[in-house]
């Protein structure tokens, strides 16, 4: 559970840095790689532990320091010789006093142990409830993702016409957004017979050439595992936006009319048709896509803004080490407090 929380915190911090530093640049390929790297780092960084923090204490105290009541100065408390300690005089004490002291010690130990056991049981009770709720959410989103994948895989098995670039074009009846999955383009018959068919097909071919369906599947799985984290859903949305920006740039680079292509996007957005689990032709905000087309090319030196992720990475590593150190210390104390 601690690993899950740290992973969610890591993803939130790194994605926040990306939103502030790089989300408005036109470095689409770099932004895509960065978003995928954030997913990988959120899985790896919580498992890293610095031994200097986690294993070795920062301060060793050898003497017991006490404050003198008269002078106010701190002096070391004297250590009694072994022969002067309480155990040395135990044989001279009355048997009744020894038995009474042992009985009182047993009562105090039993009471302390009972309170600690109740605290552990209460903590386990809440942890169990939270764990069950989390697993129910994961199962719900995983099942929904599986249904979407099965649905689109069933469509892809219907076959289609092979295009020059190796992709497959599948024309189906019905009203839905043009989409692509692996190497198959799925388009409605009305879109295929319209004047915008060429632009739509080239757009989906760009998705296939860049293997965007793999990214979307990975982002969907992250959202299923971190369904409670709004940053995970926002990251998936940003990744889909970068996919659309990248595909739009590829279409315009082939020499198509920019104004006509933007009009095609507006018509697709106003149609209100349903989409699939993968990226759809009008999946992203049309206004953002048109604004990105008109934006001037960002400088390659904008990539160095990614260095702002390093402080967040350091914070996550330190936080992970501190949490693991506290957990190990708590387990050690619990083991030592257990009755023999």
């Amino acid at each position: 559970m601690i690993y899950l929380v740290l992973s969610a915190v890591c993803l939130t911090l790194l994605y926040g840095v990306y939103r502030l530093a790089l989300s408005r640049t036109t470095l689409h390929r770099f932004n895509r790689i960065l978003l995928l790297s954030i997913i990988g780092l959120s899985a790896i960084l919580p498992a890293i532990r610095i031994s200097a923090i986690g294993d070795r204490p920062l301060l060793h105290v050898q003497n017991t320091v006490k404050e003198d009541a008269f002078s106010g100065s701190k002096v070391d408390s004297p250590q009694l010789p072994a022969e002067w300690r309480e155990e040395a005089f135990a044989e001279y004490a009355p048997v009744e006093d020894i038995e009474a002291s042992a009985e009182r010690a047993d009562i105090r130990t039993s009471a302390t142990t009972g309170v600690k056991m109740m605290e552990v049981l209460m903590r386990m009770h809440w942890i169990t409830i939270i764990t069950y709720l989390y697993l129910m959410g994961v199962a719900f989103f995983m099942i929904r993702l599986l249904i979407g994948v099965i649905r689109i895989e069933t469509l892809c098995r219907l076959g289609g016409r092979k295009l020059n670039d190796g992709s497959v074009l599948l024309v189906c009846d019905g009203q839905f957004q043009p989409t692509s999955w692996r190497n198959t383009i799925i388009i409605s018959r009305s879109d295929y017979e319209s004047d915008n068919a060429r632009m739509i097909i080239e757009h989906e071919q760009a998705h296939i050439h860049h293997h965007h369906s793999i990214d979307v599947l990975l982002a969907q799985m992250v959202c299923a595992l971190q369904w409670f984290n709004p940053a995970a859903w926002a990251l998936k949305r940003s990744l889909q936006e970068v996919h659309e920006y990248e595909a739009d740039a590829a279409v315009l680079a082939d020499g198509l009319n920019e104004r006509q292509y933007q009009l095609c996007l507006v018509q697709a957005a106003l149609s209100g048709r349903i989409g699939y689990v993968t990226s759809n032709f009008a999946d992203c905000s049309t206004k953002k896509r048109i604004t990105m087309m008109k934006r001037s090319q960002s400088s390659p030196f904008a990539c160095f803004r990614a260095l702002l992720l390093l402080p967040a990475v350091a914070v996550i590593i330190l936080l992970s080490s501190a949490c693991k150190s506290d957990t190990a210390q708590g387990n050690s104390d619990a083991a030592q407090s257990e009755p023999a």
Side-chain angles (χ1 to χ4, degrees), residues 173-242:
D173 296 327
Q175 295 297 321
F176 54 87
Q177 290 286 355
T179 188
S180 59
W181 177 253
R182 295 193 290 120
N183 68 328
T184 303
I185 299 172
I186 304 173
I187 187 174
S188 65
R189 192 168 300 277
S190 59
D191 287 328
Y192 180 70
E193 295 174 354
S194 66
D195 297 334
N196 301 325
R198 180 191 170 190
M199 290 182 288
I200 295 174
I201 292 174
E202 288 193 11
H203 178 90
E204 299 303 328
Q205 284 176 332
H207 282 303
I208 292 174
H209 295 162
H210 292 97
H211 307 286
H212 288 165
S213 57
I214 299 176
D215 297 358
V216 174
L217 184 61
L218 177 62
Q220 292 276 8
M221 293 180 64
V222 172
C223 289
L225 294 175
Q226 295 192 18
W227 56 267
F228 58 90
N229 186 9
W233 298 94
L235 185 143
K236 180 183 80 72
R237 187 69 177 176
S238 295
L239 187 60
Q240 290 178 328
E241 289 178 355
V242 171

Side-chain angles (χ1 to χ4, degrees), residues 37-176:
S37 301
I38 289 174
I39 294 176
L41 289 173
S42 65
I44 296 173
L45 291 181
I48 297 177
R49 179 182 179 184
I50 301 178
S51 59
I53 295 179
D55 297 333
R56 288 179 286 179
L58 299 180
L59 181 63
H60 296 274
V61 181
Q62 297 179 353
N63 297 324
T64 304
V65 179
K66 292 184 179 180
E67 185 175 350
D68 191 355
F70 297 97
S71 62
S73 61
K74 296 182 179 180
V75 296
D76 293 343
S77 61
Q79 300 293 331
L80 294 176
E83 61 273 10
W84 289 7
R85 294 178 184 172
E86 184 178 356
E87 292 82 358
F89 297 94
E91 57 180 338
Y92 302 103
V95 178
E96 295 80 2
D97 295 344
I98 296 176
E99 293 179 350
S101 300
E103 184 177 356
R104 287 194 297 270
D106 292 339
I107 293 174
R108 287 195 300 269
T109 303
S110 301
T112 304
T113 304
V115 171
K116 290 184 177 180
M117 289 181 63
M118 289 298 297
E119 292 177 354
V120 171
L121 290 175
M122 290 296 295
R123 187 166 61 250
M124 290 179 60
H125 178 67
W126 285 110
I127 291 176
T128 303
I129 293 176
I130 294 174
T131 302
Y132 281 141
L133 289 176
Y134 167 72
L135 292 178
M136 288 172 60
V138 171
F140 171 77
F141 288 106
M142 280 293 187
I143 291 173
R144 191 177 73 168
L145 175 60
L146 182 62
I147 292 174
V149 172
I150 292 174
R151 180 186 176 192
I152 196 168
E153 281 286 349
T154 304
L155 277 177
C156 293
R157 291 180 181 273
L158 296 177
R161 180 168 60 90
K162 198 165 186 178
L163 301 178
N164 296 330
D165 63 336
S167 59
V168 177
L169 178 63
L170 178 61
V171 181
C172 300
D173 296 327
Q175 295 297 321
F176 54 87

Side-chain angles (χ1 to χ4, degrees), residues 271-340:
S271 63
R273 291 173 290 180
I274 61 172
Y276 290 92
V277 67
T278 184
S279 298
N280 302 285
F281 183 69
D283 195 28
C284 176
S285 172
T286 304
K287 182 180 178 180
K288 288 183 179 180
R289 292 169 68 177
I290 294 176
T291 302
M292 188 61 67
M293 293 178 200
K294 296 181 178 180
R295 186 166 294 171
S296 58
Q297 187 68 24
S298 300
S299 172
F301 293 101
C303 296
F304 290 103
R305 298 180 188 177
L307 295 176
L308 296 174
L309 295 175
L310 295 179
V313 170
V315 169
I316 292 298
I317 294 176
L318 294 175
L319 184 62
S320 175
S321 300
C323 290
K324 289 183 179 180
S325 178
D326 293 342
T327 303
Q329 184 65 29
N331 294 335
S332 177
D333 295 341
Q336 292 177 2
S337 63
E338 289 181 357

